[in-house]
Every structure is written in structure tokens, then in C-alpha cells.
Amino acid sequence: MEKYEELFVSIRQIIRAIDLRSKKLSKAVGITGPQLLVLQEVLAAPGLTSKQVSDSINLSQATVTSILDRLEIKQLLVRKRDSIDRRKVSLYLTDQGVITLNDAPRAMEESFIEKFENIEAWEQTLLLSSVQRIASMMNAEELDAAPMLKIGEIDSIHKP
């Protein structure tokens, strides 16, 4: 097997692991990875604006707005307009949002982070550089991506 074929197999294995994690999350609590990320951000800092969430999780404002719409339809969070500055809309979890977060399976990223932090700094740098190079070779460096892993659109669409 050629080296590039071995690389493609490894990339496909990573994609498959991400896809399985995403399906497990959807089946367990009915939300996607990015939706989970948004809920976690709002739990950590109630009253955030959508712009603050967008900046924090490295997703575009449009993507976050779409996620917020879905979470609001599912009654997992609410948007509250500020009584003084009517332009400001703050985000808060509902009781069901808190329950959903508590019921969500442990993130794949948590296990990954533990393992990653247990390797030498030089190897961390090497891995990061290699994966960034692969993303560049696939013309993927400008794609909208959160630090949480997710593949596909489950319902139409930790941070450490």
C-alpha cells in the first residue's frame, strides 16, 4: 500500500470516529456536536450574546444563529432582549437545556485531550503541524470549524 493510501485510510478512520460520535450524541440527547458546544458555552456564562458565543467557539455568526434557532425550537435555551439596550439579546439555558447537557455522553474530545496532553511537547507540535499541513493540502484551512469534532448534518445543519 502506498504512503498516501495509508494516509487516506487514517483520515477515513478519523472521519468515521467523528461520525459515530455525532450519531451517538444525536441518539442519546437529540442534539448535534455544535449544538452541544453552544449549550456548554451558555451554561458556562449565562447571558452571553450570540456574537460572544460565535467568537468563543470559532464558528461564523450565521452558523451560530442557525444553531440557536434550532436550540430555541427544542426549548433548550431562550433569547432574552435587554430591557435597557433593546439591541442586545442574551442567551440562557432552560431547565431542559441543563438536563440535556447533563445527559449528554462524554465528549470524544475529552479523552483525546487527556491523551494529547500526556505526550511530549515536541510531539504535540509535530502532530499539530502535520494535521494543519493536511488541512492545507485539502484546501480546508478556510472552512468554518469548531474545536469540537462533528461530521455531516444530523438535523439539517469543549472547548477544553
Side-chain angles (χ1 to χ4, degrees):
M1 187 180 298
E2 298 288 333
K3 293 275 190 222
Y4 68 86
E5 291 172 321
E6 291 180 48
L7 180 60
F8 282 138
V9 167
S10 293
I11 291 170
R12 287 186 191 108
Q13 288 172 325
I14 293 167
I15 291 168
R16 180 78 175 127
I18 294 166
D19 192 38
L20 289 173
R21 159 68 178 134
S22 189
K23 288 177 182 169
K24 180 180 177 182
L25 178 62
S26 178
K27 185 176 180 180
V29 292
I31 60 173
T32 65
Q35 289 172 343
L36 177 65
L37 235 185
V38 169
L39 290 175
Q40 289 171 331
E41 286 298 311
V42 175
L43 177 67
L48 286 176
T49 65
S50 61
K51 173 76 168 113
Q52 290 169 319
V53 171
S54 172
D55 291 345
S56 180
I57 64 174
N58 194 34
L59 287 175
S60 73
Q61 183 68 42
T63 299
V64 169
T65 297
S66 177
I67 292 169
L68 292 172
D69 290 344
R70 288 181 180 87
L71 291 173
E72 197 168 34
I73 289 167
K74 292 178 183 195
Q75 299 180 347
L76 300 179
L77 69 72
V78 293
R79 293 171 166 131
K80 292 186 180 176
R81 193 166 296 281
D82 189 285
S83 60
I84 297 169
D85 183 352
R86 304 289 296 157
R87 297 169 297 176
K88 182 179 178 190
V89 177
S90 299
L91 306 169
Y92 299 92
L93 293 187
T94 62
D95 290 342
Q96 187 58 47
V98 174
I99 291 168
T100 297
L101 272 179
N102 289 335
D103 290 345
R106 183 173 182 238
M108 172 194 299
E109 293 78 13
E110 291 176 25
S111 167
F112 177 87
I113 291 166
E114 288 172 15
K115 292 173 185 173
F116 186 78
E117 288 178 342
N118 284 325
I119 62 175
E120 297 292 327
W122 68 266
E123 193 172 7
Q124 290 177 2
T125 302
L126 179 65
L127 285 171
L128 175 60
S129 174
S130 297
V131 174
Q132 286 173 333
R133 173 67 72 106
I134 291 169
S136 174
M137 291 168 67
M138 297 178 86
N139 299 319
E141 63 268 42
E142 297 300 320
L143 295 178
D144 196 19
M148 176 174 233
L149 304 175
K150 184 228 181 226
I151 291 292
E153 301 296 327
I154 290 178
D155 66 355
S156 307
I157 55 147
H158 85 119
K159 195 165 113 170

